[in-house]
Amino acid sequence: MSGKYIIGIDQSTQGTKGMLFDEKGAIAARKDIPHRQIVDGNGWVSHDAMEIYHNTIAVVKALLEENDIDKNAIIGVGISNQRETSLIWDKTTGKPLDYAIVWQCSRAVDICAKAEAAGMADPVYKKTGLKLSPYFPASKFAWLLENVEGAKDAAARHEVCFGTIDTWLIYCLTGGKSYKTDYSNASRTQLFNIFDLKWDEEICAAFGIDPKDLAQVCFSDSCFGETDFEGLLDTPVPIHGVLGDSHGALLGQGCIHPGMIKTTYGTGSSIMMNIGQKPILSTHGVVTSLAWGLNGKVEYVLEGNINYTGAVITWLKDDVQLIQNPGETGEWCQKAHSDDHLYFIPAFTGLGAPYWDSEAQGMLTGITRTTGKAEIIRACIECIAYQITDVITAMSQDAGIPVQELRVDGGPTKNPYLMQFQSDILNAHVLVPDSEALSCMGAAYAAGFGLGVYDTDIFDLLKRKKYEAKMEESVRQDKYNGWKQAVQKVLTH
């Protein structure tokens, strides 16, 4: 293989992907390595940060060796990362003081309860755009300081580094020379003032952290340091792009103008709308973050996270065993009785955005004599589209921007029935790309922007299948109103 390449690293919850992007921005090669999911008796979820770093080196080694790449053809690196997963490490040894706490782990709930009792919920929201929650790194860092032996004393001596996975990888890849993060990841820590664009002293103090001990916050396309991947390259190259994974997917989808919106359909779903250079605090149940810092300016997003979307399909297969594989769902949906008004509310562990009701319980409602297996499967598939429409409607109301197009990615987007129904119930075009590696693509593109090898024309490379709304407006309104009435039955407040 010849030409110049950018290495994209996507460090996700399940594993680490390494990808090669050529001079035109196309994917030339890919390598994946999974890592352990460490779950203890309390149900706490952790990752071994050293394992993640070693896997990062391993995927790059494999990319170079398996694809016969000239080492001198590598010109830069972009990194996307699982957001909110948090760790602390020793400044002198560079070794983690404990396992990293994964984003989905809620072990720090008591720390958040104390912060709320101390009156911090309102200032946290008004400064960070985020609702006080153990989901975010602020309370995770505080938990590590309180529960890891020697951590609090080391922090008092300013001998501890705090970081999400991007900061950890930058630190390791540069041999400890760079202690940095980007605007997108900083905005998700619940310690960063998204209006003043700096670590917030009041909030940091509430969680027992000195802002002077936190990483330097940089533009997403800046140079974060240089790496040779522990000698795999003859000459160090710049890490020139860093983005949280959802932000990377937003950029990879080309959502670079206000009002453009993307949804990642995964186990849960992340819905994100670019709202431009002026932040908007939501009054409709979503949160505000920084999209990125690119080309010398920062832009903001509204974001909503849904707990159960793709996980509903897994539930159908593994728990109630109505299907044998996800690919069956489209066919079953087509078989369902057209007049059946069955709704499934997937509140397995409460409802996320825009309802935020952790006590809500799931429900199957509207059962009639026409209800059977096909109707139940269809209700489960349709609940994915309904939930996403709820969040997008909230964002549209906050931003005052009507949504005419939704760009999507993730495994469930392979289901034509779901994509058509999403288009119908949202009453907007739905665009499905021919690539699944949007997060990594966004980070690599950011690096390419920083290196001056890509421009925004690169977004035209992505081929997309378009779904257009076909449902009659009266039918759409009837179905969506039925959904909203069904949700009201499970809400506890």
Side-chain angles (χ1 to χ4, degrees):
M1 297 173 68
S2 59
K4 300 295 184 183
Y5 298 94
I6 289 174
I7 293 176
I9 295 167
D10 179 29
Q11 204 303 294
S12 68
T13 308
Q14 299 297 322
T16 303
K17 291 189 285 289
M19 305 182 75
L20 287 174
F21 293 83
D22 66 20
E23 292 164 295
K24 296 181 179 179
I27 299 170
R30 171 174 171 171
K31 180 69 176 182
D32 296 56
I33 299 179
H35 57 255
R36 292 176 297 152
Q37 305 298 311
I38 304 166
V39 184
D40 69 6
N42 297 309
W44 295 348
V45 189
S46 303
H47 287 161
D48 182 341
M50 289 303 301
E51 179 186 9
I52 286 173
Y53 173 61
H54 291 148
N55 285 355
T56 301
I57 297 297
V59 295
V60 172
K61 186 174 189 289
L63 280 176
L64 296 175
E65 293 179 350
E66 294 175 11
N67 296 284
D68 192 26
I69 295 294
D70 178 2
K71 296 178 181 181
N72 296 315
I74 306 299
I75 60 171
V77 182
I79 297 173
S80 63
N81 59 286
Q82 51 169 315
R83 302 180 306 169
E84 293 96 21
T85 295
S86 310
L87 72 151
I88 58 177
W89 63 93
D90 187 290
K91 277 185 179 178
T92 303
T93 66
K95 302 297 183 184
L97 300 186
D98 201 357
Y99 287 143
I101 304 177
V102 178
W103 58 270
Q104 61 199 165
C105 182
S106 61
R107 74 183 74 174
V109 63
D110 290 344
I111 290 173
C112 287
K114 291 177 184 176
E116 184 168 11
M120 287 303 299
D122 192 52
V124 162
Y125 178 62
K126 289 182 176 177
K127 291 181 174 186
T128 71
L130 306 173
K131 297 291 187 179
L132 187 61
S133 170
Y135 180 88
F136 299 109
S139 58
K140 288 176 164 60
F141 291 146
W143 190 95
L144 288 165
L145 289 178
E146 291 183 10
N147 291 277
V148 175
E149 185 177 353
K152 186 173 287 188
D153 290 340
R157 297 191 300 270
H158 304 285
E159 294 175 356
V160 170
C161 293
F162 300 83
T164 43
I165 295 296
D166 60 306
T167 302
W168 165 246
L169 289 180
I170 292 165
Y171 190 90
C172 293
L173 289 170
T174 62
K177 294 178 181 177
S178 290
Y179 181 37
K180 297 180 179 181
T181 189
D182 91 299
Y183 279 116
S184 71
N185 280 292
S187 74
R188 299 295 295 183
T189 61
Q190 205 158 67
L191 296 169
F192 192 74
N193 189 313
I194 63 171
F195 302 93
D196 296 340
L197 299 179
K198 65 179 183 180
W199 299 116
D200 191 272
E201 292 186 5
E202 179 189 15
I203 298 174
C204 286
F207 290 99
I209 297 166
D210 188 333
K212 295 177 183 177
D213 292 332
L214 294 170
Q216 178 186 351
V217 184
C218 305
F219 283 90
S220 309
D221 57 354
S222 61
C223 181
F224 291 81
E226 294 187 332
T227 183
D228 62 3
F229 295 101
E230 295 196 353
L232 291 177
L233 303 180
D234 296 332
T235 305
V237 297
I239 302 169
H240 231 303
V242 173
L243 287 164
D245 52 11
S246 290
H247 311 255
L250 187 74
L251 185 62
Q253 286 275 24
C255 295
I256 57 175
H257 302 296
M260 298 184 77
I261 187 167
K262 73 90 191 174
T263 294
T264 298
Y265 295 69
T267 302
S269 284
S270 166
I271 303 102
M272 196 176 267
M273 174 190 277
N274 185 327
I275 56 173
Q277 296 180 51
K278 293 183 179 179
I280 300 168
L281 284 179
S282 173
T283 58
H284 293 88
V286 296
V287 302
T288 309
S289 298
L290 287 163
W292 44 61
L294 293 173
N295 196 28
K297 62 183 180 182
V298 298
E299 293 184 290
Y300 293 84
V301 291
L302 291 173
E303 181 176 0
N305 292 96
I306 298 169
N307 296 335
Y308 290 95
T309 50
V312 175
I313 301 172
T314 303
W315 178 77
L316 278 173
K317 180 174 74 74
D318 296 341
D319 297 281
V320 295
Q321 299 180 4
L322 288 181
I323 59 173
Q324 292 184 329
N325 65 74
E328 296 177 30
T329 56
E331 184 178 346
W332 280 108
C333 288
Q334 296 291 351
K335 292 179 180 178
H337 196 282
S338 61
D339 292 332
D340 194 273
H341 284 71
L342 189 69
Y343 292 95
F344 179 64
I345 315 299
F348 296 106
T349 55
L351 287 173
Y355 302 104
W356 299 113
D357 188 342
S358 60
E359 302 301 319
Q361 294 184 335
M363 178 183 288
L364 192 65
T365 181
I367 298 172
T368 68
R369 279 296 290 121
T370 63
T371 301
K373 178 178 177 178
E375 287 71 30
I376 293 172
I377 293 171
R378 185 180 66 182
C380 289
I381 294 302
E382 290 181 348
C383 83
I384 297 172
Y386 283 127
Q387 291 182 94
I388 287 166
T389 299
D390 284 341
V391 174
I392 293 173
T393 300
M395 289 178 175
S396 182
Q397 291 169 338
D398 280 325
I401 301 172
V403 174
Q404 298 178 331
E405 176 187 281
L406 173 65
R407 301 187 176 195
V408 302
D409 57 88
T413 64
K414 296 175 182 177
N415 184 326
Y417 180 88
L418 173 59
M419 292 297 97
Q420 183 60 55
F421 188 76
Q422 183 72 79
S423 178
D424 287 337
I425 212 66
L426 184 60
N427 196 25
H429 298 326
V430 172
L431 302 182
V432 184
D434 60 356
S435 174
E436 297 179 1
L438 277 301
S439 296
C440 194
M441 186 178 293
Y445 285 1
F449 295 154
L451 290 163
V453 296
Y454 298 154
D455 58 33
T456 54
D457 290 344
I458 202 166
F459 298 120
D460 297 333
L461 288 174
L462 206 59
K463 295 182 176 64
R464 297 180 174 92
K465 180 176 181 179
K466 179 189 286 188
Y467 290 85
E468 298 182 6
K470 299 177 181 177
M471 188 178 288
E472 291 184 12
E473 180 61 17
S474 60
V475 175
R476 187 184 74 83
Q477 288 285 357
D478 182 58
K479 286 182 175 292
Y480 191 45
N481 287 336
W483 163 259
K484 289 188 285 188
Q485 290 167 15
V487 171
Q488 289 300 317
K489 295 177 182 178
V490 307
L491 295 179
T492 63
H493 56 71

